[in-house]
C-alpha cells in the first residue's frame, strides 16, 4: 500500500493508483494533515543521527524538498529540508541547527531522489552536503509528458486528485521557531511526491518518453555547479534606461556597495536598497547628499550615514577615468540577437526561420514545450555557425557539442539538417 493509499484510507481522501481518479472532474479533495502528523523539527546532531539511520534503513526512492528565504535573506541557502521515504516516514531538518547533512547525503547516495523543479533545490542542498547521484524531477517529467501546468500543486491535483495548501510558499523560512502551519505545509510537500513520481513514470512510459526523461534527469544530476555570473550588476532591473557609461559605472558602484551591506547583514539586497533607487541615482548622478535625498528611494526614512554611503558610491563613479568606465553591454557569447540576423547574415536568418518552424511543429506533435525538445540557444548556435559538410552526422556532433542529450539529437538532427539547406527568399 502506498503512502497516498494509507493517507486516503485514514482521512477519507481519494485513493490514488498512479492515474487520475475516475471523478477527477469533481473538486479535488484537500490534503490537510500529514499521515503521521507534523514531525518534530530536527535541529541537533543526536536527532540527525537517528534520521540518518532511519532513512538508510528505509526502502525505495526518497522524496526531498527544501525551503529558502528568497526575498528576505542574502543568498539562496536552505532553511528547512523535508524528506520522506517508505519505512522512515517524513522528517523536517533545520539546516541552521544541523548545517552539515553530508552523512545523510552519503547514506542515500545510491538512492533515487525525487524533487520537484530539481534545479532550484540542488544548489542549496549541495551547500549542506546533499548531492544525489540519481534523481526524478516531477516538474520536468510533467513538461515532457505535456501537462499544461507543472507546479507541484497543479500536478498533484491533476494527476492524483488532491489539493495541496500552497499559502506559505513565499514566507520567511529563516523565522525561528517556524510556526506550526508552515511546518504542516512543508511536510505535505513531500507527502505525495513518491506517488506523483510513480504516476508520471507510467505516463511517460505510455508515451514512449521514459528513456528521454531518464537522460534529462541524469544530465541534471551530473551537471557541475553553475559558475559565478559575470557582471551581475548588469541585471539590475531598469538597466535598459541607463545609456551613458558613467551612469553605468554608478550602477556598478551602487550595486557593489549594496551587495556588501546585504551580505554583511544577511538580508536580501532589495531590502537594503531597491533596484529602482539604484537606477534613479545613476541617471541623476547627484552632486551631494541633499540632492540624493530628493530622489525616489532615498527618502526621509533613510539615515544620514546610509545616504552618505550611497553618495560615496556615486562619487566614486564620477571620479573614474574614461578608461575605467564599463563598456555599454556585455561581450556577446555566441550568435547576435536573432532580430539582427536578416541584416548581418540573410542566409543564417533563413536557416533559423526554417529550423524554428520545424522544431515548433515537432514539439507540438510530441506534446511538449519547444525548449524541452531542444534549447533555443542550441538551435541558434547551429544555424549561425553550421558544420562544414552539413551532413546528419556533422549536425548530430554539433548538437552534442552544445550539450544536447542523445534523445534530443535523434529527434532534432533530421530537422536541422534540412533547415541548414534553406536559402533566403528572393526579393
Amino acid at each position: 500500500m502506498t503512502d497516498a493509499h494509507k493517507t486516503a484510507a485514514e482521512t477519507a481522501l481519494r485513493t490514488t493508483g498512479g492515474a487520475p481518479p475516475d471523478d477527477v472532474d469533481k473538486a479535488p479533495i484537500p490534503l490537510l494533515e500529514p499521515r503521521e502528523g507534523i514531525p518534530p523539527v530536527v535541529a541537533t546532531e543526536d536527532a540527525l543521527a537517528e534520521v540518518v539511520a532511519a532513512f538508510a534503513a528505509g526502502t525505495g526512492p526518497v522524496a526531498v524538498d527544501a525551503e529558502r528565504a528568497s526575498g528576505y535573506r542574502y543568498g539562496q541557502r536552505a532553511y528547512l529540508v523535508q524528506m520522506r521515504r517508505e519505512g522512515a516516514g517524513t522528517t523536517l531538518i533545520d539546516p541552521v541547527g544541523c548545517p552539515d547533512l553530508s552523512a545523510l547525503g552519503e547514506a542515500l547516495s545510491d538512492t533515487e531522489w525525487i524533487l520537484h523543479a530539481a534545479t532550484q533545490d540542488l544548489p542549496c542542498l549541495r551547500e549542506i552536503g546533499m548531492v544525489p547521484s540519481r534523481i526524478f524531477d516531477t516538474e520536468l517529467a510533467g513538461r515532457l509528458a505535456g501537462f499544461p501546468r507543472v507546479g507541484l500543486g497543479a500536478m498533484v491535483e491533476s494527476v492524483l486528485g488532491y489539493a495541496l495548501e500552497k499559502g506559505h510558499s513565499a514566507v520567511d523560512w529563516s523565522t525561528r521557531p517556524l510556526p506550526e502551519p508552515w511546518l504542516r505545509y512543508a511536510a505535505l510537500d513531500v507527502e505525495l511526491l513518491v506517488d506523483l513520481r510513480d504516476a508520471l513514470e507510467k505516463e511517460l512510459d505510455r508515451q514512449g518518453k521514459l528513456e528521454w526523461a531518464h537522460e534529462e534527469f541524469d544530465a541534471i544530476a551530473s551537471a557541475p555547479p553553475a559558475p559565478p555570473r559575470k557582471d551581475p550588476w548588469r541585471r539590475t532591473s531598469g538597466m535598459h534606461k541607463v545609456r551613458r557609461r558613467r551612469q553605468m559605472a554608478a550602477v556598478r558602484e551602487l550595486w557593489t556597495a549594496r551587495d556588501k551591506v546585504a551580505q554583511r547583514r544577511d538580508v536580501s539586497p532589495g531590502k537594503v536598497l531597491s533596484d529602482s533607487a539604484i537606477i534613479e541615482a545613476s541617471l541623476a548622478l547627484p552632486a551631494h547628499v541633499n540632492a540624493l535625498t530628493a530622489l525616489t528611494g532615498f527618502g526621509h526614512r533613510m539615515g544620514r550615514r546610509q545616504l552618505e554611503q550611497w553618495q560615496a558610491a556615486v562619487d566614486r563613479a564620477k571620479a573614474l577615468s574614461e578608461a575605467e568606465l564599463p563598456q555599454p553591454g556585455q561581450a556577446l557569447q555566441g550568435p547576435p540577437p536573432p532580430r539582427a540576423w536578416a541584416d548581418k547574415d540573410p542566409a543564417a536568418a533563413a536557416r533559423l526561420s526554417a529550423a524554428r518552424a520545424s522544431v515548433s511543429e515537432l514539439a507540438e506533435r510530441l506534446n511538449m514545450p519547444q525548449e524541452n525538445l531542444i534549447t533555443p540557444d542550441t538551435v541558434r548556435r547551429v544555424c549561425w555557425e553550421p558544420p562544414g559538410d552539413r551532413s546528419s552526422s556533422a549536425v548530430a556532433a554539433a548538437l552534442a557539442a552544445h550539450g544536447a542529450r542523445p534523445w534530443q539529437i535523434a529527434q532534432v538532427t533530421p530537422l536541422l539538417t534540412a533547415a541548414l539547406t534553406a536559402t533566403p527568399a528572393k526579393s
Side-chain angles (χ1 to χ4, degrees):
M1 180 180 287
T2 66
D3 282 349
H5 282 118
K6 293 173 183 175
T7 302
E10 293 179 13
T11 60
L13 303 183
R14 289 177 177 170
T15 58
T16 65
D22 294 336
D23 59 346
V24 74
D25 290 336
K26 297 180 181 179
I29 301 299
L31 190 62
L32 302 176
E33 196 74 24
R35 184 165 57 89
E36 301 98 355
I38 303 172
V41 176
V42 174
T44 67
E45 292 303 318
D46 289 345
L48 179 61
E50 294 180 9
V51 167
V52 172
F55 273 77
T59 59
V62 57
V64 182
D65 191 21
E67 305 294 349
R68 297 174 297 280
S70 304
Y72 298 93
R73 295 288 183 175
Y74 186 87
Q76 294 295 315
R77 65 170 293 184
Y79 281 95
L80 188 70
V81 174
Q82 310 100 280
M83 301 175 62
R84 183 173 182 84
R85 192 181 193 191
E86 185 69 31
T90 297
T91 188
L92 303 177
I93 304 173
D94 178 6
V96 177
C98 300
D100 182 5
L101 301 187
S102 56
L104 183 56
E106 291 168 6
L108 299 169
S109 60
D110 295 328
T111 302
E112 180 188 84
W113 295 22
I114 308 168
L115 302 104
H116 192 83
T119 54
Q120 294 182 21
D121 286 342
L122 287 177
C124 70
L125 291 171
R126 184 181 289 114
E127 287 181 359
I128 53 180
M130 298 186 68
V131 184
S133 58
R134 292 186 295 131
I135 70 165
F136 190 105
D137 186 334
T138 50
E139 184 201 48
L140 181 52
R143 292 182 183 278
L144 296 175
F147 284 84
R149 296 187 303 144
V150 293
L152 179 59
M155 292 292 291
V156 167
E157 182 176 324
S158 62
V159 176
L160 303 177
Y162 295 89
L164 289 176
E165 196 277 309
K166 299 298 291 183
H168 303 300
S169 58
V171 299
D172 181 2
W173 288 95
S174 68
T175 300
R176 292 297 183 272
L178 287 164
E180 182 176 295
W182 300 11
L183 297 175
R184 181 182 296 106
Y185 156 89
L188 289 173
D189 262 5
V190 292
E191 181 85 2
L192 297 180
L193 267 184
V194 174
D195 287 87
L196 182 59
R197 172 234 181 271
D198 292 346
L200 290 171
E201 182 179 60
K202 290 179 182 178
E203 180 60 21
L204 288 167
D205 191 37
R206 186 188 70 79
Q207 295 184 22
K209 300 175 181 176
L210 185 56
E211 287 306 313
W212 302 358
H214 286 158
E215 288 183 22
E216 292 297 301
F217 302 157
D218 289 345
I220 293 173
S222 60
R229 191 182 298 276
K230 184 180 180 182
D231 292 345
W233 58 270
R234 292 183 184 271
R235 295 175 62 84
T236 304
S237 180
M239 191 69 193
H240 63 282
K241 302 176 185 176
V242 181
R243 303 293 185 185
R244 292 160 46 198
R245 292 174 62 202
R246 195 160 302 278
Q247 293 172 333
M248 293 179 186
V251 174
R252 182 177 64 188
E253 293 295 332
L254 285 163
W255 189 98
T256 302
R258 179 185 69 173
D259 195 66
K260 290 178 179 177
V261 172
Q263 188 169 9
R264 185 178 71 249
R265 290 169 48 189
D266 189 19
V267 296
S268 170
K271 289 187 175 297
V272 175
L273 187 68
S274 68
D275 279 11
S276 60
I278 288 179
I279 299 299
E280 283 279 328
S282 300
L283 293 175
L285 294 175
H288 43 70
V289 168
N290 288 342
L292 178 69
T293 307
L295 299 177
T296 302
F298 299 91
H300 64 279
R301 294 184 179 179
M302 191 171 287
R304 181 78 183 183
R305 185 176 177 182
Q306 289 178 293
L307 289 166
E308 288 175 348
Q309 73 178 350
W310 305 133
Q311 182 62 44
V314 173
D315 291 342
R316 285 194 297 273
K318 292 163 71 174
L320 294 174
S321 68
E322 286 292 321
E324 294 173 305
L325 298 178
Q327 293 301 317
Q330 295 170 286
L332 278 175
Q333 299 292 322
R339 63 179 178 274
W341 286 31
D343 293 330
K344 290 179 176 291
D345 190 338
R351 294 192 293 265
L352 181 62
S353 178
R356 282 174 161 176
S358 297
V359 168
S360 176
E361 188 277 331
L362 178 58
E364 186 173 348
R365 188 150 34 93
L366 293 174
N367 192 27
M368 70 171 64
Q370 294 181 43
E371 63 268 20
N372 291 115
L373 173 58
I374 190 73
T375 67
D377 180 68
T378 297
V379 174
R380 287 193 295 268
R381 288 174 183 271
V382 173
C383 289
W384 184 253
E385 294 184 352
D389 63 9
R390 306 191 186 184
S391 64
S392 293
S393 59
V395 171
L399 288 170
H402 291 305
R405 266 69 73 190
W407 76 270
Q408 295 175 315
I409 295 171
Q411 292 293 320
V412 173
T413 294
L415 306 182
L416 292 191
T417 302
L420 294 182
T421 65
T423 56
K426 295 182 179 180
S427 55

